[in-house]
Every structure is written in C-alpha cells, then in structure tokens.
C-alpha cells in the first residue's frame, strides 16, 4: 500500500446518500492508495489503521475539495480559427447561412486537413492545458473536422496522444457525421455508408470510445442518424447525439431508442423528447457557451428536464465555430445566469453527470472506490465555483492519486 492522507478540508463529495447539499463534509479527510480513494469522511471517524505515521499527510488548511471536473463535450482537435466568421455573424449573417455558403464546419475541415499532426497536437494540448488549469481532469474529445478515413484517424490519434502526454483522462468520440465534406456533395447517403465503414475500421484500431452525429437540417437527417447508430450498436459502441440545437428534428427521441449516453445542446427539445430521454436515462448535456456565442435566445427546456428527472450535465463544447470556450468554470456561471441552474446543479453537471454522460462509473464523486481525481480550491463554499468570473481559484489538481506538477498545465 502507498497511502497518503489529505486532511483539514471541506469536501463537496457530491454523494447523494449523505443527504447534504453538495454532499458536504466539514473537517474532512481522504485516504488515497495508489490511483484510488480508499476512504472519505469526517476526520474524527478516520480509522487509525488508515493513517499510519509514515504516510504523507497534506494539511489543506480548511480549503474546499471537489471531484476533478469533467468536460464531457469538446471538439478540441482542429486547425485554424473562425474569428472571421464571428465578425460576419456580428454583422448579421447567421451561423446557418455561413454553413450553407461553404464556411462553418467545412472551413475548419480544410484547415484541419492542411495542418500537420504535430501542429494539431500542439494546439490541442495548449487548449487542454487551459481547461486543466481550472480543474478539468477528464475530457471528451470528438473527431469531426477530418471527414475522411485518414483525417478522422489522425484527429482521434491526436486525442489519444493527449491522454498519454498529459495527466488527464481522455475519452474519444467518433463524429464522422458532423458535416458533408465537399467531395460527397449531393451524396449524403453515400457519405453515411463511408462513415459506417470508417467507424468499423477506427473502432478496430481502438480509437473510438463512443459515436456521435450532428442531426440537423444543415447536417444529417434522422434516417441517416439511425444508420450510424445501427453501425455503432453492431460494434457494441455507445452513442451520443448533437440534437435539437437549431431546430426540432426528433433526434433526442431516436437517440433514446438506442440508449444514448447523452443528447447534447437541446434548445429545441420537445416534451416528447424530454420524456424519451427520461425513459432511456440519457443525460442532457447543455452547452451555455454555444448558446451565448451564437446569441441563441431559445432556452433548453430546463424545467421539464428537471421535472422528469433527466440528469443534466454542462460542457464547454469547445470548437472554433460556435463555442471557442476554454473555461469550464465560466460555463457554471453562465448555466446559472442564462439557464437558471442552481450552483449545486452546475457542480453536479461537471462531476457526477459529466461522468455519466461519458459512461464512466469510476469518477465524478469523492467516495471510497473512486479514482483519486480531485481539485483543491482556494474557496470557502462550492457555490463560489459558479460565482466568480475571471478568477481561477484552483490550487492543486490530483489525477489518479498524483498531484499534477505546475509544468504540465502551464504553457
Ligand atoms: O457542437 N453543432 C455542431 N457542432 C459544433 C459546432 C461546429 C462548428 O461550428 O465548427 C457544436 O456546436
Ligand atoms: Fe458540439
């Protein structure tokens, strides 16, 4: 056993069974053994056998500790930026009009294909480190800016390399059905055939943890989405969906039929969609960065999701077109101000529910048996995580039991 003791802290465990807001435990202690937590509780209850005198002790001087934050929806690997389109949109051109005119996702596809793998890795690593500095310990990364077998593979390989090079858990999602590449113009169904074939190849190479589709009038239809989901099911891979972001396509209900881990965006989600998600247990991943940056005015149906007990997660949706966001804490604040989340819902959304949206059961709370991924904050109360804007109160990040040295998360 290689025990270490973290004590004199206030834990926001997010354990519902404690029946405390945030699962709070004051004057708490945690015992870490290797990569995992083996004991979490009030310091006075700590068994002496778990606190041998030779074990290193970390006195946190009353600081707040939360589980490591989980950003469960990003498109982190891409070339170029789209600041020019931001300017166009500010002058009144819509996101959809830009996409229809061949800009949007397609312009990032061109820049991504033109970039070397080293450049893609270097840029994605810098972005990942921005998120990590604010306590992110697990990150999902979608492909979807390659749109050919070779380029989708490269993006997924870059995502896997990030997980190897950085003290960070990385989950990859294949999003070949993100947009129609120009070489398939007018042949969307043929493209979906190709996407299904690539999926089998890339899954065979161990590059795919989940499968996503952009189901939208500017992207792929419900029938096309179903075909990709069937291919995923045949390979035993879980699915997720970019659903009802710009219009109600009934995507969430379809995804629910396939037991989707999550449906994401959801501004135009109908009542039927909410009910279908509640039945399937899919997580609603809400993305206030994209809502804000696209100057969307239609709110996702938060009250209905709450009433039906659909778990809600939050993510950065980091991408160059609709959400150039590199602060997950800012998403907590925006979810409270724009979506009327409570600060507790916001923290659950980037811990417990973020883990669930990725199908991960070994993280998201502070409890014995979980991975020792946690963050020490220079804060008194967890509601401050949603409160401050532009301040980074993150003091120490621990991933799989190891404190992350400052080097890997500074540039
Ligand atoms: O999640 N909605 C589709 N995909 C991204 C945006 C992609 C882009 O504009 O490059 C999103 O918002
Ligand atoms: Fe997205």
């Amino acid at each position: 056993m290689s025990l270490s003791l973290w004590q004199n802290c206030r834990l926001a465990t997010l354990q519902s069974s404690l029946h405390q807001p945030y699962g709070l435990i004051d004057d708490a202690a945690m015992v870490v053994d290797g990569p995992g937590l083996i004991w979490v509780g009030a310091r006075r209850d700590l068994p002496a056998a778990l606190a041998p005198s030779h074990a290193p002790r970390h006195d946190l001087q009353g600081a707040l500790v939360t589980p490591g934050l989980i950003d469960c929806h990003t498109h982190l690997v891409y070339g170029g930026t789209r600041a020019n389109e931001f300017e166009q949109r500010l002058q009144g051109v819509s996101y959809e009009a830009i996409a229809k005119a061949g800009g949007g996702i397609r312009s990032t596809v061109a820049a991504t294909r033109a970039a070397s793998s080293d450049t893609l890795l270097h840029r994605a690593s810098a972005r990942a480190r921005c998120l990590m500095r604010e306590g992110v310990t697990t990150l999902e990364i979608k492909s979807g800016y390659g749109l050919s077998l070779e380029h989708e593979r490269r993006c997924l390989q870059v995502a896997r390399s990030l997980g190897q090079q950085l003290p960070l858990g990385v989950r990859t999602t294949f999003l070949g059905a993100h947009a129609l590449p120009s070489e398939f113009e007018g042949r969307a169904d043929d493209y979906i055939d190709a996407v299904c074939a690539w999926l089998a190849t890339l899954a065979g190479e161990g590059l795919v943890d989940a499968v996503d589709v952009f189901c939208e009038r500017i992207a792929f239809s419900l029938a096309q989405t179903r075909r990709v989901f069937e291919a995923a099911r045949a390979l035993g891979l879980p699915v997720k969906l970019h659903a009802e972001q710009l219009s109600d396509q009934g995507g969430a209900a379809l995804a629910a039929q396939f037991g989707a881990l999550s449906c994401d965006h959801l501004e135009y989600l109908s009542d039927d969609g909410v009910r279908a998600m509640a039945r399937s247990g899919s997580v609603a991943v809400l993305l206030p960065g994209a809502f804000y940056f696209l100057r969307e005015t239609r709110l996702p149906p938060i009250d209905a999701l709450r009433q039906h007990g659909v778990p809600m997660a939050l993510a950065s949706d980091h991408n160059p077109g609709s959400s150039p966001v590199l602060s997950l804490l800012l998403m907590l604040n925006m979810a409270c101000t724009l979506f009327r989340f409570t600060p507790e819902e916001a923290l659950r959304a980037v811990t417990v529910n973020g883990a669930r949206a990725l199908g991960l059961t070994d993280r998201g709370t502070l409890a014995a048996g979980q991975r020792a991924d946690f963050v020490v904050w220079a804060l008194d109360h967890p509601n401050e995580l949603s409160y401050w804007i532009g301040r980074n109160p993150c003091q120490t990040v621990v991933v799989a039991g190891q404190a992350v040295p400052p080097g890997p998360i500074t540039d």
Side-chain angles (χ1 to χ4, degrees), residues 101-346:
I105 295 172
R106 276 188 183 178
S107 68
T108 299
V109 170
T112 303
R113 289 179 178 178
S116 70
S117 298
D118 276 356
T119 301
L120 290 177
L121 180 60
H122 184 76
R123 299 266 158 82
S125 172
R127 294 173 197 132
R129 283 176 285 139
C130 285
L131 293 163
M132 291 164 69
R133 279 197 279 276
E134 285 189 357
V136 170
T137 54
T138 296
L139 191 61
E140 184 249 21
I141 301 178
K142 300 176 195 296
S143 68
Y145 291 120
L147 309 190
S148 70
L149 176 59
E150 174 201 348
H151 290 287
E152 286 290 293
R153 176 188 283 126
R154 225 159 56 99
C155 293
L156 292 167
Q157 285 169 339
V158 166
R160 282 276 187 254
S161 302
L162 275 183
Q164 283 149 12
Q165 292 183 1
L166 295 172
L168 179 70
V170 170
R171 303 294 288 176
T172 58
T173 299
F174 174 66
L175 178 57
H178 194 197
L180 189 65
S182 49
E183 56 274 23
F184 279 86
E185 190 64 60
R187 296 188 297 128
D189 283 319
D190 293 348
Y191 181 65
I192 292 295
D193 287 341
V195 162
C196 295
W198 302 341
L199 171 58
T201 304
L202 297 169
E205 294 170 13
L207 290 170
V208 181
D209 298 323
V211 178
D212 196 347
V213 173
F214 186 18
C215 180
E216 191 54 69
R217 53 190 178 211
I218 56 167
F220 297 97
S221 69
L222 212 51
Q224 290 160 346
T225 302
R226 178 186 284 279
R227 287 173 55 210
V228 178
F229 282 180
E230 276 163 358
R233 180 186 268 169
L235 294 163
L237 290 169
V239 300
K240 307 168 80 68
L241 189 66
H242 279 72
E244 344 297 9
Q245 179 186 8
L246 307 169
S247 60
D248 180 13
Q249 301 286 312
L254 175 72
Q257 282 174 34
F258 283 80
L261 288 175
S262 71
C263 299
D264 304 36
H265 286 286
L266 302 177
E267 279 82 348
Y268 289 80
L269 182 65
S270 67
D271 265 357
D272 284 351
V274 174
R275 278 178 231 278
M277 288 180 67
R279 280 194 298 274
S280 66
S282 305
V283 176
V285 178
L286 303 173
L287 304 166
F291 174 90
Y292 164 81
F293 196 68
L294 294 181
R295 304 172 73 212
E296 181 57 71
T297 49
R298 175 150 168 156
L299 287 163
I302 310 288
D303 283 342
L305 290 166
R306 259 192 210 115
Q307 274 158 23
H308 287 87
V310 176
M312 296 188 287
L314 292 168
S316 67
D317 191 18
H318 177 85
N319 75 74
S322 69
S323 188
V325 165
L326 289 170
S327 166
L328 195 57
L329 290 182
L330 181 59
M331 297 304 95
L332 272 66
N333 175 274
M334 283 191 179
C336 294
T337 53
L338 301 174
F339 293 173
R340 293 283 178 263
F341 268 48
T342 66
E344 183 173 354
E345 284 174 331

